Amino acid sequence: MRVLVVTAVPVERDAVTRAFGGTPETVALPGTELHRLGAFDVLAGGAGPAAAAAATAFALASASAQYGLVVSAGIGGAFTPLTPLGSLVVASDIVAADLGADTPDGFLPVTALGFGRDRFAPPPALVRAVAAAAGAAPGPVLTVSTVTGTAERAGSLLAAHPGALAEAMEGSGVAEAAARTEVPVLELRAVSNAVGPRDRDAWRIGDALAALTEAFGKTAPVLEGWNRHDDRHRS
């Protein structure tokens, strides 16, 4: 069984593969390609939950590999000061934060509407192991289709999801595809910016990409070992 890692864009994919060393083998998929190194297949599936879900589903349906774990990975914004720039976050819950309906009484998640799901739970034992290996903070990571750009929106998200550590755009899409094939999912993010008003001068994308490479260098043995020894059935 292999580990599938799904990023949004090629620069994130390359940051992950640098952790494994060597030159990756490329495997063509519809609209993208896998970069294969050791036990890991890494692809840039596109930005947003829909693109991420489609790319993940294509990879999981591919006859070229069988997967025991899917990881949504990349950079993201954080609800600082809980998670400072350059730090790492591993999702205890992957939350589709803006999938639902506005009502006069406030936002209703899709689950409250009686269909779909708005929350996915990675294996707790794996979350703990990855957090310990990478020095990452465990906590909820929100998936949004529109990146937060105001303090008011950041406050609303935190009010709706107390304890959320970060936001990104792909986690729930990756998790949805993985869930439909009953493959466990994980989300690992390196913090490049604060959630709130967009201040490009304050972003630390290079530092976050370097942190992402370092994180996979530290966690690769954990991910491989968990996958190999079927620890996904542990609580």
Side-chain angles (χ1 to χ4, degrees), residues 27 69 78 89 105 108 116 195 218:
V27 179
L69 176 66
V89 173
D105 298 320
L108 283 179
V195 175
K218 291 178 177 178

Side-chain angles (χ1 to χ4, degrees), residues 99-234:
L99 182 62
D102 274 329
T103 77
D105 298 320
F107 178 77
L108 283 179
V110 66
T111 305
L113 298 174
F115 52 87
R117 59 191 297 187
D118 65 332
R119 186 175 295 263
F120 302 84
L126 181 59
V127 171
R128 292 192 296 269
V130 168
V141 175
L142 309 184
T143 301
V144 295
S145 295
T146 301
V147 174
T148 300
T150 66
E152 291 77 13
R153 176 60 175 159
S156 295
L157 286 172
L158 273 179
H161 306 282
L165 296 185
E167 74 168 24
M169 298 181 72
E170 293 78 34
S172 68
V174 174
E176 185 70 61
R180 292 185 181 220
T181 52
E182 299 184 336
V183 178
V185 69
L186 187 77
E187 184 170 8
L188 181 60
R189 295 281 167 184
V191 175
S192 60
N193 58 279
V195 175
R198 291 170 62 81
D199 179 6
R200 293 295 296 268
D201 291 337
W203 290 9
R204 297 293 181 267
I205 292 177
D207 292 342
L209 291 171
L212 191 64
T213 301
E214 184 177 358
F216 272 89
K218 291 178 177 178
T219 61
V222 174
L223 300 175
E224 287 186 81
W226 185 88
N227 198 23
R228 185 183 308 119
H229 293 110
D230 205 29
D231 288 350
R232 59 184 176 274
H233 298 300
R234 298 180 186 176

Side-chain angles (χ1 to χ4, degrees), residues 11-157:
V11 69
E12 294 170 317
R13 177 200 63 205
D14 296 344
V16 173
T17 57
R18 276 195 295 273
F20 309 134
T23 301
E25 172 192 358
T26 59
V27 179
L29 287 178
T32 186
E33 62 184 16
L34 293 172
H35 285 201
R36 177 166 289 170
L37 278 161
F40 293 85
D41 287 354
V42 190
L43 67 85
T56 304
F58 274 123
L60 290 172
S62 169
S64 67
Q66 288 187 317
Y67 297 106
L69 176 66
V70 179
V71 183
S72 177
I75 63 176
F79 295 97
T80 55
L82 294 175
T83 41
L85 301 188
S87 64
L88 297 164
V89 173
V90 58
S92 60
D93 295 275
I94 301 170
V95 183
D98 57 7
L99 182 62
D102 274 329
T103 77
D105 298 320
F107 178 77
L108 283 179
V110 66
T111 305
L113 298 174
F115 52 87
R117 59 191 297 187
D118 65 332
R119 186 175 295 263
F120 302 84
L126 181 59
V127 171
R128 292 192 296 269
V130 168
V141 175
L142 309 184
T143 301
V144 295
S145 295
T146 301
V147 174
T148 300
T150 66
E152 291 77 13
R153 176 60 175 159
S156 295
L157 286 172

